[in-house]
Amino acid sequence: MSLRSIKSKLMALTLIAILATVVVQLIIANVSLANLTFKSQSIVQQHVLNEVKSGLKNTVDSMVSSLTDMYKSNAGTIPEAQLIELIRKTLDASRYGEAGYFFAYRYDGIRVVAPENKSQEGQNLWDLTDKSGKKVVQEFIRVAQNGGGFVSYIWLNPKTNKEEEKISYYSPS
């Protein structure tokens, strides 16, 4: 075997080793970039969700404050049933964003306001469960009685007629 042949083989092996190293580094870089992209998307999604939650909480708190003031300023001057109807009409006419709406339950599970499903108004929905098995009305009431907060659940979207994950903010009255 000639020296030139050995030298060519060594150069070829060196080139293959360098190429293999470059390929491995490119694969590692690609995986790292994919992980970084996924983490970035997660951070952005979490930020957007936090912004939505903040806006939702502020809107609900503002509505509850307005309705509380309305109730206090009219209590004793008009019949209770008329006052409840005034509150119901106010909530029915109010919207949050494109798809948001306000609804209300009494602490015993009676749905007082249901703008997206009028047939539920006056119904006791205490034992209503979503498709995951969560007793949603009981959870709404528990959260409201503990000072308010967010609840995620599965609910029929009245615009798409499909069950979807939903998040709502509950505030005590």
Side-chain angles (χ1 to χ4, degrees), residues 99-165:
Y101 51 88
F102 296 91
F103 55 92
Y105 288 88
R106 293 187 343 201
Y107 285 142
D108 61 1
I110 303 289
R111 188 146 190 198
V112 179
V113 179
E116 86 297 357
N117 188 346
K118 290 298 195 185
S119 67
Q120 289 183 341
E121 285 186 0
Q123 300 294 312
N124 188 324
L125 302 176
W126 182 257
D127 290 320
L128 183 69
T129 58
D130 69 6
K131 76 177 189 178
S132 73
K134 182 183 281 187
K135 293 196 177 254
V136 291
V137 175
Q138 291 178 34
E139 184 68 8
F140 299 161
I141 292 167
R142 183 192 66 75
V143 168
Q145 288 177 322
N146 287 313
F150 295 95
V151 175
S152 295
Y153 53 100
I154 307 298
W155 198 258
L156 182 67
N157 182 327
K159 292 191 184 261
T160 64
N161 207 32
K162 293 180 182 177
E163 289 190 336
E164 301 173 356
E165 185 170 352

Side-chain angles (χ1 to χ4, degrees), residues 34-141:
N35 285 338
L36 181 60
T37 301
F38 177 75
K39 287 177 184 176
S40 296
Q41 288 173 341
S42 294
I43 290 168
V44 168
Q45 287 173 340
Q46 189 60 47
H47 180 71
V48 169
L49 180 58
N50 288 341
E51 289 297 315
V52 168
K53 283 181 166 182
S54 177
L56 180 58
K57 180 186 183 308
N58 291 339
T59 301
V60 170
D61 286 344
S62 177
M63 179 60 77
V64 168
S65 178
S66 295
L67 293 176
T68 300
D69 290 346
M70 179 190 301
Y71 186 86
K72 286 178 181 177
S73 66
N74 288 299
T77 61
I78 61 175
E80 182 82 9
Q82 189 177 349
L83 185 52
I84 297 294
E85 187 58 28
L86 179 62
I87 290 170
R88 180 180 290 120
K89 285 181 180 179
T90 300
L91 288 175
D92 276 346
S94 301
R95 294 289 178 265
Y96 173 71
E98 291 180 27
Y101 51 88
F102 296 91
F103 55 92
Y105 288 88
R106 293 187 343 201
Y107 285 142
D108 61 1
I110 303 289
R111 188 146 190 198
V112 179
V113 179
E116 86 297 357
N117 188 346
K118 290 298 195 185
S119 67
Q120 289 183 341
E121 285 186 0
Q123 300 294 312
N124 188 324
L125 302 176
W126 182 257
D127 290 320
L128 183 69
T129 58
D130 69 6
K131 76 177 189 178
S132 73
K134 182 183 281 187
K135 293 196 177 254
V136 291
V137 175
Q138 291 178 34
E139 184 68 8
F140 299 161
I141 292 167

Side-chain angles (χ1 to χ4, degrees), residues 11-24:
M11 285 180 72
L13 286 173
T14 303
L15 185 58
I16 290 171
I18 290 171
L19 286 175
T21 302
V22 169
V23 168
V24 168

